[in-house]
Amino acid sequence: MRTLWVVAALVLALPLTVDANPARDLVQHMSRGARPARMGDWVTYRFNGGGARVYYWRLAVVGEEKDKEGRDAVWVEMEAGTHPAMKSPLSQMRMLVAREGDEIRYDAISRLYIGTGFNPPQEYSDEALQHVVKKQLAEAEKDKSAPPEKPARLPQGVKPTTRSGKETRLMTLAGTVPAVPVEVVLKNTVIKRMWLSREIPLLNLAKIEIPGIGHAMEVAEYGIDAKPRMRIPAPDAPKIKLEFADAILDDLPGAAEPGHGHDTSEDSP
């Protein structure tokens, strides 16, 4: 996916539970107060892709209701932009996601709105949304069944390992928080390093670094008072039709050259 979807997939794919591995300190840290996502939780991250490639991504829980299948569900808003306060965001997304107990099921979306740049937000029709969800599930299944790529040749007996450290006080753009570092290491080289904190809502992620390519993501702000920010169209407004379901995703910032957008409304020829 493109800008917003890529960021969402990257962050939401991070494991929020810990299996039995060298992460005893992390388990102990989370057991001392990590809480489930609640109405009003929000968090903003700063992404640094190297050089001047800096942008922000915000995730917030802004509403609760039953979905079409009668399940408990929450409205989750996502925004991406170049300003930490999301002034003139590049992309916005609002989705109704099923909830099972304390878990938000990001794979169970029943309604979806998307807005990009100066284009007003539009809701996906049921057919268009089902198409997108099925396509993503099919792609994920394909990735699972695909033969693994041939790994880089490493010296015999050398393989990446995961290790965690003791809880520490980590200084972030959002202030100092307790966090546990987790590293993926090859010999003496750190491939990826992240800090997980029970104080950060929604994702419990305080910071992540990939030293080899100079990429980093760090919590910039967070809170518990989120309000809906996306301007929702009227119920009778044109929706995104099936034939434009993929096109509008391709038109998210970073997917195409400016000026090559698609008209996605039901009034399109």
Side-chain angles (χ1 to χ4, degrees):
M1 288 292 194
R2 303 304 181 185
T3 304
L4 193 56
W5 286 82
V6 169
V7 174
L10 169 66
V11 177
L12 299 179
L14 291 172
L16 301 185
T17 58
V18 181
D19 298 324
N21 58 29
R24 182 183 61 183
D25 295 306
L26 178 58
V27 173
Q28 292 176 347
H29 169 79
M30 291 298 180
S31 69
R32 291 198 296 269
R35 64 186 182 88
R38 297 172 181 168
M39 173 66 187
D41 281 349
W42 63 274
V43 60
T44 299
Y45 289 95
R46 180 183 186 270
F47 290 81
N48 186 341
R53 295 180 297 171
V54 174
Y55 59 99
Y56 295 84
W57 181 71
R58 184 177 187 268
L59 177 70
V61 179
V62 298
E64 296 176 305
E65 65 179 70
K66 297 287 187 179
D67 66 12
K68 296 176 181 178
E69 298 182 17
R71 300 173 296 187
D72 291 334
V74 293
W75 282 104
V76 177
E77 283 189 351
M78 299 182 189
E79 298 176 279
T82 57
H83 192 280
M86 293 299 162
K87 295 181 178 180
S88 301
L90 299 174
S91 302
Q92 289 182 306
M93 180 188 303
R94 185 176 180 180
M95 54 188 177
L96 185 61
V97 187
R99 182 170 191 164
E100 293 182 357
D102 294 337
E103 181 185 1
I104 295 179
R105 290 282 309 279
Y106 288 100
D107 59 339
I109 303 172
S110 56
R111 295 183 68 184
L112 173 65
Y113 295 88
I114 285 184
T116 60
F118 295 107
N119 298 320
Q122 283 185 282
E123 184 175 8
Y124 268 61
S125 67
D126 290 340
E127 295 79 10
L129 178 56
Q130 289 173 12
H131 165 76
V132 170
V133 172
K134 287 180 180 179
K135 184 177 180 180
Q136 294 305 307
L137 290 175
E139 290 178 355
E141 195 62 33
K142 181 180 178 181
D143 290 341
K144 286 182 181 178
S145 59
E149 296 183 3
K150 188 175 181 180
R153 187 182 295 270
L154 296 174
Q156 186 175 1
V158 175
K159 63 179 181 179
T161 59
T162 301
R163 66 189 184 194
S164 68
K166 298 291 185 181
E167 179 180 308
T168 185
R169 299 294 296 179
L170 177 69
M171 183 176 293
T172 73
L173 295 171
T176 302
V177 297
V180 172
V182 178
E183 297 178 334
V184 178
V185 182
L186 180 62
K187 297 189 73 173
N188 294 322
T189 301
V190 176
I191 301 173
K192 180 168 61 177
R193 178 188 296 114
M194 56 183 162
W195 288 263
L196 298 175
S197 173
R198 64 179 182 270
E199 287 193 5
I200 307 300
L202 298 177
L203 302 178
N204 299 131
L205 178 66
K207 189 175 182 179
I208 184 170
E209 296 177 340
I210 306 178
I213 56 176
H215 288 192
M217 177 180 75
E218 179 179 348
V219 62
E221 293 180 289
Y222 62 93
I224 57 173
D225 57 350
K227 299 293 188 296
R229 305 199 325 182
M230 189 179 205
R231 182 171 58 86
I232 300 301
D236 59 350
K239 295 183 179 182
I240 298 168
K241 297 194 297 185
L242 176 61
E243 54 265 40
F244 299 106
D246 294 323
I248 196 168
L249 295 178
D250 289 339
D251 281 346
L252 289 176
E257 293 298 323
H260 291 274
H262 299 267
D263 184 353
T264 58
S265 74
E266 291 182 345
D267 297 329
S268 303

